Amino acid sequence: MLENSEKSEKEYQKARKLIPGGVNSPVRAIKPYPFYVATAKGSKLYDIDGNEFIDCCLAHGPVILGHNHPIIKQSIVDQLNRGWIYGTPTELEVRIAEKIANSCKSLEMMRFVSTGTEATMSALRLARGYTGKNSFIKIEGGYHGAHDAVLVKAGSGVSTYSKANSAGIPSDFTKYTLQAPFNNIEAMAELIEKNKEDLAALIMEPVMGNAGPIPPEGNYLHEIRKLTEENEVLLIFDEVITGFRLAMGGASEYFGVNPDLATLGKVAGGGLPIGIFGGKKEIMEMVSPSGPVYQAGTFSGNPCSLAAGISTLELLGKENVHEKLNAKGEKLRTALSEIVEDKKPGYSVSGIGSMFKVFFGKKPRNYRDALTCDLKEYPNFFHRMLKFGVFLPPSQLETNFISSAHSEEDIEKVLEAYRECL
Ligand SMILES: Cc1ncc(COP(=O)(O)O)c(C=O)c1O
């Protein structure tokens, strides 16, 4: 644990009595207790005990331009001065929708919600409503938020009907959730063939982000597109992480594959709560009130989130951020690979764009491979890095990120920390 963490420990002891596990999302449950943040700026977090960390967790993805960005902040402040919720439409909705439709070819129409969870839940309902079919496929180990139908883990065999991954989910709610491994087109083809009568959609992260970053191999995504088209299964790309992170048009643009529907979140709200689902006009017209698939939300299209989202997208577009950021990521991964080869030859480096991870085992092609890494050793390493002043996501199975605010010096420090802590 950090030498200087008394105040955080005290807060945690109070929190534990009031909030389950002391945290508001399980990924924040650092043992024995998390550090409590006081402020953030650029690439850094500062905790209430006065510790400073280079942040490679970046709130699990949204912070692509660095914390507390002055232009994004000003757009939120300007909006706050005009009020922060109206319950009526605003011009902001039209402005951001136009920007997104311009960047993301697949999103001809879209709806704004408040979280990625809501976005995937609504996209799946829409896919079922549009096709009149019940089942859908997800990738083993793929995460699409915390709603019932997608909270399932891999079973035995190449593919399987899935068991809930959480208490409180009736098996009836997950009986339509099928799973196939990532980067395995044969297994996917087999599963689709067996189930196509009642198959509405395939939902997938085009780059797995919640098993650590695992990029798609070769032509995998193109083959997935072909397979789903041939079998009339809707393809949903969950781009909650990759949207506006890999490129303005997300993984879709990066790999040149257009899904029928896509979900966005994280970066699109500039760090404020947001979720978006969208896709082909013909499908989106099925959403209420223009169609019969119900979807609604008091906070949907919140003006502050949209204002922050608009200024984020403008900055990303103007400054050619992705090219520079992805090059920085590539350089970091190359340097990390050399360190890993030297210090821990059995380990590997994975990632793409500004996403990276050192896996404590061989480079995974899918979730099951990722599970064979030394998951027990990872938390010890995490704490060594924290003491060194680098904050990584606390789990081996979560992606590390860098932002455009990470300087050469930050990257050098991160590399030095890896060198020491591995
Ligand atoms: C790929 C993906 N989809 C959906 C979600 C859910 O988003 P939210 O946490 O905003 O509900 C996440 C969250 O990490 C995610 O990574």
Side-chain angles (χ1 to χ4, degrees), residues 60 114-118 120 143-146 205 209-210 238-242 263 265-266 274-275:
H60 298 278
S114 300
T115 61
T117 295
E118 260 184 290
T120 63
Y143 180 68
H144 305 290
E205 300 167 80
N210 292 282
D238 180 352
E239 296 230 41
V240 167
I241 288 182
T242 49
T263 55
K266 303 209 187 223
I274 202 162

PDB file of all heavy atoms in Angstrom, residues 60 114-118 120 143-146 205 209-210 238-242 263 265-266 274-275, ligand 1:
ATOM      1  N   HIS A  60     -11.353   4.648 -17.075  1.00  0.00           N
ATOM      2  CA  HIS A  60     -11.719   3.504 -17.917  1.00  0.00           C
ATOM      3  C   HIS A  60     -12.129   3.940 -19.331  1.00  0.00           C
ATOM      4  O   HIS A  60     -12.990   3.315 -19.944  1.00  0.00           O
ATOM      5  CB  HIS A  60     -12.788   2.634 -17.254  1.00  0.00           C
ATOM      6  CG  HIS A  60     -12.309   2.043 -15.957  1.00  0.00           C
ATOM      7  ND1 HIS A  60     -11.535   0.906 -15.897  1.00  0.00           N
ATOM      8  CD2 HIS A  60     -12.457   2.457 -14.685  1.00  0.00           C
ATOM      9  CE1 HIS A  60     -11.222   0.634 -14.638  1.00  0.00           C
ATOM     10  NE2 HIS A  60     -11.767   1.572 -13.875  1.00  0.00           N
ATOM     11  N   SER A 114     -27.906   7.790 -21.277  1.00  0.00           N
ATOM     12  CA  SER A 114     -26.989   8.312 -20.252  1.00  0.00           C
ATOM     13  C   SER A 114     -25.786   7.427 -19.954  1.00  0.00           C
ATOM     14  O   SER A 114     -24.827   7.886 -19.320  1.00  0.00           O
ATOM     15  CB  SER A 114     -27.755   8.569 -18.950  1.00  0.00           C
ATOM     16  OG  SER A 114     -28.775   9.499 -19.183  1.00  0.00           O
ATOM     17  N   THR A 115     -25.842   6.155 -20.336  1.00  0.00           N
ATOM     18  CA  THR A 115     -24.711   5.247 -20.068  1.00  0.00           C
ATOM     19  C   THR A 115     -24.552   4.264 -21.229  1.00  0.00           C
ATOM     20  O   THR A 115     -25.481   4.055 -22.022  1.00  0.00           O
ATOM     21  CB  THR A 115     -24.941   4.390 -18.801  1.00  0.00           C
ATOM     22  OG1 THR A 115     -26.109   3.576 -19.006  1.00  0.00           O
ATOM     23  CG2 THR A 115     -25.116   5.227 -17.557  1.00  0.00           C
ATOM     24  N   GLY A 116     -23.389   3.643 -21.272  1.00  0.00           N
ATOM     25  CA  GLY A 116     -23.153   2.595 -22.253  1.00  0.00           C
ATOM     26  C   GLY A 116     -24.073   1.404 -22.016  1.00  0.00           C
ATOM     27  O   GLY A 116     -24.508   0.735 -22.961  1.00  0.00           O
ATOM     28  N   THR A 117     -24.367   1.147 -20.759  1.00  0.00           N
ATOM     29  CA  THR A 117     -25.264   0.042 -20.408  1.00  0.00           C
ATOM     30  C   THR A 117     -26.631   0.226 -21.072  1.00  0.00           C
ATOM     31  O   THR A 117     -27.170  -0.693 -21.697  1.00  0.00           O
ATOM     32  CB  THR A 117     -25.432  -0.034 -18.866  1.00  0.00           C
ATOM     33  OG1 THR A 117     -24.167  -0.358 -18.287  1.00  0.00           O
ATOM     34  CG2 THR A 117     -26.456  -1.056 -18.447  1.00  0.00           C
ATOM     35  N   GLU A 118     -27.160   1.432 -20.919  1.00  0.00           N
ATOM     36  CA  GLU A 118     -28.459   1.717 -21.544  1.00  0.00           C
ATOM     37  C   GLU A 118     -28.389   1.589 -23.069  1.00  0.00           C
ATOM     38  O   GLU A 118     -29.349   1.167 -23.708  1.00  0.00           O
ATOM     39  CB  GLU A 118     -28.826   3.172 -21.260  1.00  0.00           C
ATOM     40  CG  GLU A 118     -29.801   3.407 -20.150  1.00  0.00           C
ATOM     41  CD  GLU A 118     -30.120   4.892 -20.090  1.00  0.00           C
ATOM     42  OE1 GLU A 118     -29.230   5.671 -19.692  1.00  0.00           O
ATOM     43  OE2 GLU A 118     -31.244   5.267 -20.460  1.00  0.00           O
ATOM     44  N   THR A 120     -26.409  -0.364 -24.965  1.00  0.00           N
ATOM     45  CA  THR A 120     -26.398  -1.749 -25.478  1.00  0.00           C
ATOM     46  C   THR A 120     -27.731  -2.442 -25.199  1.00  0.00           C
ATOM     47  O   THR A 120     -28.211  -3.229 -26.008  1.00  0.00           O
ATOM     48  CB  THR A 120     -25.240  -2.579 -24.866  1.00  0.00           C
ATOM     49  OG1 THR A 120     -25.427  -2.688 -23.458  1.00  0.00           O
ATOM     50  CG2 THR A 120     -23.896  -1.972 -25.165  1.00  0.00           C
ATOM     51  N   TYR A 143     -17.792  -7.420 -22.615  1.00  0.00           N
ATOM     52  CA  TYR A 143     -18.596  -6.709 -21.615  1.00  0.00           C
ATOM     53  C   TYR A 143     -19.425  -5.653 -22.324  1.00  0.00           C
ATOM     54  O   TYR A 143     -18.910  -4.881 -23.125  1.00  0.00           O
ATOM     55  CB  TYR A 143     -17.684  -6.053 -20.568  1.00  0.00           C
ATOM     56  CG  TYR A 143     -18.437  -5.298 -19.498  1.00  0.00           C
ATOM     57  CD1 TYR A 143     -19.230  -5.982 -18.565  1.00  0.00           C
ATOM     58  CD2 TYR A 143     -18.379  -3.907 -19.405  1.00  0.00           C
ATOM     59  CE1 TYR A 143     -19.929  -5.300 -17.584  1.00  0.00           C
ATOM     60  CE2 TYR A 143     -19.076  -3.223 -18.421  1.00  0.00           C
ATOM     61  CZ  TYR A 143     -19.846  -3.923 -17.513  1.00  0.00           C
ATOM     62  OH  TYR A 143     -20.544  -3.241 -16.545  1.00  0.00           O
ATOM     63  N   HIS A 144     -20.712  -5.639 -22.016  1.00  0.00           N
ATOM     64  CA  HIS A 144     -21.601  -4.659 -22.655  1.00  0.00           C
ATOM     65  C   HIS A 144     -22.439  -3.926 -21.614  1.00  0.00           C
ATOM     66  O   HIS A 144     -23.573  -3.536 -21.890  1.00  0.00           O
ATOM     67  CB  HIS A 144     -22.495  -5.361 -23.682  1.00  0.00           C
ATOM     68  CG  HIS A 144     -21.704  -6.136 -24.707  1.00  0.00           C
ATOM     69  ND1 HIS A 144     -20.948  -5.514 -25.672  1.00  0.00           N
ATOM     70  CD2 HIS A 144     -21.507  -7.467 -24.873  1.00  0.00           C
ATOM     71  CE1 HIS A 144     -20.325  -6.423 -26.409  1.00  0.00           C
ATOM     72  NE2 HIS A 144     -20.650  -7.617 -25.940  1.00  0.00           N
ATOM     73  N   GLY A 145     -21.883  -3.774 -20.416  1.00  0.00           N
ATOM     74  CA  GLY A 145     -22.624  -3.092 -19.366  1.00  0.00           C
ATOM     75  C   GLY A 145     -23.247  -4.087 -18.416  1.00  0.00           C
ATOM     76  O   GLY A 145     -23.066  -5.306 -18.540  1.00  0.00           O
ATOM     77  N   ALA A 146     -24.018  -3.548 -17.454  1.00  0.00           N
ATOM     78  CA  ALA A 146     -24.477  -4.381 -16.336  1.00  0.00           C
ATOM     79  C   ALA A 146     -25.978  -4.692 -16.395  1.00  0.00           C
ATOM     80  O   ALA A 146     -26.645  -4.681 -15.367  1.00  0.00           O
ATOM     81  CB  ALA A 146     -24.100  -3.697 -15.030  1.00  0.00           C
ATOM     82  N   GLU A 205     -17.560  -6.174 -29.114  1.00  0.00           N
ATOM     83  CA  GLU A 205     -16.573  -5.100 -29.126  1.00  0.00           C
ATOM     84  C   GLU A 205     -15.622  -5.430 -30.277  1.00  0.00           C
ATOM     85  O   GLU A 205     -15.020  -6.503 -30.259  1.00  0.00           O
ATOM     86  CB  GLU A 205     -15.779  -5.080 -27.831  1.00  0.00           C
ATOM     87  CG  GLU A 205     -16.584  -4.869 -26.569  1.00  0.00           C
ATOM     88  CD  GLU A 205     -15.740  -5.182 -25.328  1.00  0.00           C
ATOM     89  OE1 GLU A 205     -14.950  -4.325 -24.930  1.00  0.00           O
ATOM     90  OE2 GLU A 205     -15.874  -6.275 -24.776  1.00  0.00           O
ATOM     91  N   GLY A 209     -12.053  -4.987 -25.104  1.00  0.00           N
ATOM     92  CA  GLY A 209     -11.462  -4.009 -24.188  1.00  0.00           C
ATOM     93  C   GLY A 209     -11.601  -4.420 -22.745  1.00  0.00           C
ATOM     94  O   GLY A 209     -10.951  -3.870 -21.856  1.00  0.00           O
ATOM     95  N   ASN A 210     -12.429  -5.413 -22.500  1.00  0.00           N
ATOM     96  CA  ASN A 210     -12.716  -5.802 -21.123  1.00  0.00           C
ATOM     97  C   ASN A 210     -12.154  -7.174 -20.799  1.00  0.00           C
ATOM     98  O   ASN A 210     -12.572  -7.826 -19.841  1.00  0.00           O
ATOM     99  CB  ASN A 210     -14.220  -5.736 -20.874  1.00  0.00           C
ATOM    100  CG  ASN A 210     -14.722  -4.295 -20.911  1.00  0.00           C
ATOM    101  OD1 ASN A 210     -14.558  -3.558 -19.954  1.00  0.00           O
ATOM    102  ND2 ASN A 210     -15.301  -3.881 -22.037  1.00  0.00           N
ATOM    103  N   ASP A 238     -20.204  -2.775 -30.411  1.00  0.00           N
ATOM    104  CA  ASP A 238     -20.201  -2.015 -29.166  1.00  0.00           C
ATOM    105  C   ASP A 238     -18.908  -1.209 -29.137  1.00  0.00           C
ATOM    106  O   ASP A 238     -17.832  -1.722 -28.816  1.00  0.00           O
ATOM    107  CB  ASP A 238     -20.304  -2.959 -27.963  1.00  0.00           C
ATOM    108  CG  ASP A 238     -20.313  -2.194 -26.649  1.00  0.00           C
ATOM    109  OD1 ASP A 238     -20.094  -0.967 -26.672  1.00  0.00           O
ATOM    110  OD2 ASP A 238     -20.532  -2.831 -25.595  1.00  0.00           O
ATOM    111  N   GLU A 239     -19.033   0.066 -29.486  1.00  0.00           N
ATOM    112  CA  GLU A 239     -17.863   0.953 -29.571  1.00  0.00           C
ATOM    113  C   GLU A 239     -17.831   1.923 -28.390  1.00  0.00           C
ATOM    114  O   GLU A 239     -17.367   3.059 -28.517  1.00  0.00           O
ATOM    115  CB  GLU A 239     -17.876   1.712 -30.905  1.00  0.00           C
ATOM    116  CG  GLU A 239     -17.742   0.814 -32.116  1.00  0.00           C
ATOM    117  CD  GLU A 239     -16.652   1.293 -33.074  1.00  0.00           C
ATOM    118  OE1 GLU A 239     -15.583   1.717 -32.605  1.00  0.00           O
ATOM    119  OE2 GLU A 239     -16.907   1.222 -34.294  1.00  0.00           O
ATOM    120  N   VAL A 240     -18.352   1.456 -27.250  1.00  0.00           N
ATOM    121  CA  VAL A 240     -18.339   2.317 -26.062  1.00  0.00           C
ATOM    122  C   VAL A 240     -16.900   2.693 -25.691  1.00  0.00           C
ATOM    123  O   VAL A 240     -16.633   3.831 -25.292  1.00  0.00           O
ATOM    124  CB  VAL A 240     -19.087   1.633 -24.890  1.00  0.00           C
ATOM    125  CG1 VAL A 240     -18.824   2.336 -23.566  1.00  0.00           C
ATOM    126  CG2 VAL A 240     -20.588   1.620 -25.169  1.00  0.00           C
ATOM    127  N   ILE A 241     -15.959   1.769 -25.879  1.00  0.00           N
ATOM    128  CA  ILE A 241     -14.544   2.105 -25.635  1.00  0.00           C
ATOM    129  C   ILE A 241     -13.877   2.642 -26.909  1.00  0.00           C
ATOM    130  O   ILE A 241     -13.218   3.672 -26.885  1.00  0.00           O
ATOM    131  CB  ILE A 241     -13.758   0.877 -25.125  1.00  0.00           C
ATOM    132  CG1 ILE A 241     -14.166   0.538 -23.683  1.00  0.00           C
ATOM    133  CG2 ILE A 241     -12.245   1.132 -25.182  1.00  0.00           C
ATOM    134  CD1 ILE A 241     -13.422  -0.638 -23.066  1.00  0.00           C
ATOM    135  N   THR A 242     -14.054   1.959 -28.024  1.00  0.00           N
ATOM    136  CA  THR A 242     -13.276   2.287 -29.234  1.00  0.00           C
ATOM    137  C   THR A 242     -13.802   3.511 -29.999  1.00  0.00           C
ATOM    138  O   THR A 242     -13.060   4.131 -30.758  1.00  0.00           O
ATOM    139  CB  THR A 242     -13.245   1.072 -30.194  1.00  0.00           C
ATOM    140  OG1 THR A 242     -14.590   0.585 -30.358  1.00  0.00           O
ATOM    141  CG2 THR A 242     -12.372  -0.040 -29.649  1.00  0.00           C
ATOM    142  N   THR A 263     -22.992   1.123 -30.732  1.00  0.00           N
ATOM    143  CA  THR A 263     -23.183   1.848 -29.476  1.00  0.00           C
ATOM    144  C   THR A 263     -21.919   2.635 -29.165  1.00  0.00           C
ATOM    145  O   THR A 263     -20.810   2.195 -29.440  1.00  0.00           O
ATOM    146  CB  THR A 263     -23.488   0.892 -28.309  1.00  0.00           C
ATOM    147  OG1 THR A 263     -22.451  -0.090 -28.231  1.00  0.00           O
ATOM    148  CG2 THR A 263     -24.814   0.197 -28.503  1.00  0.00           C
ATOM    149  N   GLY A 265     -20.202   5.672 -26.154  1.00  0.00           N
ATOM    150  CA  GLY A 265     -20.306   6.191 -24.785  1.00  0.00           C
ATOM    151  C   GLY A 265     -19.018   6.907 -24.471  1.00  0.00           C
ATOM    152  O   GLY A 265     -18.413   7.538 -25.346  1.00  0.00           O
ATOM    153  N   LYS A 266     -18.556   6.792 -23.241  1.00  0.00           N
ATOM    154  CA  LYS A 266     -17.229   7.258 -22.793  1.00  0.00           C
ATOM    155  C   LYS A 266     -16.733   8.546 -23.474  1.00  0.00           C
ATOM    156  O   LYS A 266     -17.186   9.620 -23.128  1.00  0.00           O
ATOM    157  CB  LYS A 266     -16.220   6.115 -22.919  1.00  0.00           C
ATOM    158  CG  LYS A 266     -16.705   4.884 -22.114  1.00  0.00           C
ATOM    159  CD  LYS A 266     -15.634   4.014 -21.585  1.00  0.00           C
ATOM    160  CE  LYS A 266     -16.212   2.759 -20.961  1.00  0.00           C
ATOM    161  NZ  LYS A 266     -15.661   2.332 -19.730  1.00  0.00           N
ATOM    162  N   ILE A 274     -22.788   9.559 -20.694  1.00  0.00           N
ATOM    163  CA  ILE A 274     -23.448   9.495 -22.006  1.00  0.00           C
ATOM    164  C   ILE A 274     -23.471   8.055 -22.510  1.00  0.00           C
ATOM    165  O   ILE A 274     -22.637   7.224 -22.120  1.00  0.00           O
ATOM    166  CB  ILE A 274     -22.730  10.400 -23.042  1.00  0.00           C
ATOM    167  CG1 ILE A 274     -23.681  10.759 -24.196  1.00  0.00           C
ATOM    168  CG2 ILE A 274     -21.490   9.722 -23.612  1.00  0.00           C
ATOM    169  CD1 ILE A 274     -23.260  11.945 -25.010  1.00  0.00           C
ATOM    170  N   GLY A 275     -24.427   7.772 -23.346  1.00  0.00           N
ATOM    171  CA  GLY A 275     -24.477   6.550 -24.124  1.00  0.00           C
ATOM    172  C   GLY A 275     -25.208   6.914 -25.404  1.00  0.00           C
ATOM    173  O   GLY A 275     -26.026   7.858 -25.417  1.00  0.00           O
TER     174      GLY A 275
HETATM  175  C1  LIG B   1     -17.554  -2.075 -24.336  1.00  0.00           C
HETATM  176  C2  LIG B   1     -18.432  -1.534 -23.259  1.00  0.00           C
HETATM  177  N1  LIG B   1     -19.761  -1.508 -23.440  1.00  0.00           N
HETATM  178  C3  LIG B   1     -20.592  -1.013 -22.508  1.00  0.00           C
HETATM  179  C4  LIG B   1     -20.106  -0.525 -21.312  1.00  0.00           C
HETATM  180  C5  LIG B   1     -21.042   0.021 -20.297  1.00  0.00           C
HETATM  181  O1  LIG B   1     -20.906   1.402 -20.225  1.00  0.00           O
HETATM  182  P1  LIG B   1     -21.345   2.206 -18.899  1.00  0.00           P
HETATM  183  O2  LIG B   1     -20.353   1.833 -17.836  1.00  0.00           O
HETATM  184  O3  LIG B   1     -21.274   3.646 -19.312  1.00  0.00           O
HETATM  185  O4  LIG B   1     -22.720   1.766 -18.573  1.00  0.00           O
HETATM  186  C6  LIG B   1     -18.727  -0.538 -21.076  1.00  0.00           C
HETATM  187  C7  LIG B   1     -18.181  -0.028 -19.820  1.00  0.00           C
HETATM  188  O5  LIG B   1     -17.034  -0.155 -19.486  1.00  0.00           O
HETATM  189  C8  LIG B   1     -17.869  -1.050 -22.076  1.00  0.00           C
HETATM  190  O6  LIG B   1     -16.545  -1.088 -21.907  1.00  0.00           O
END
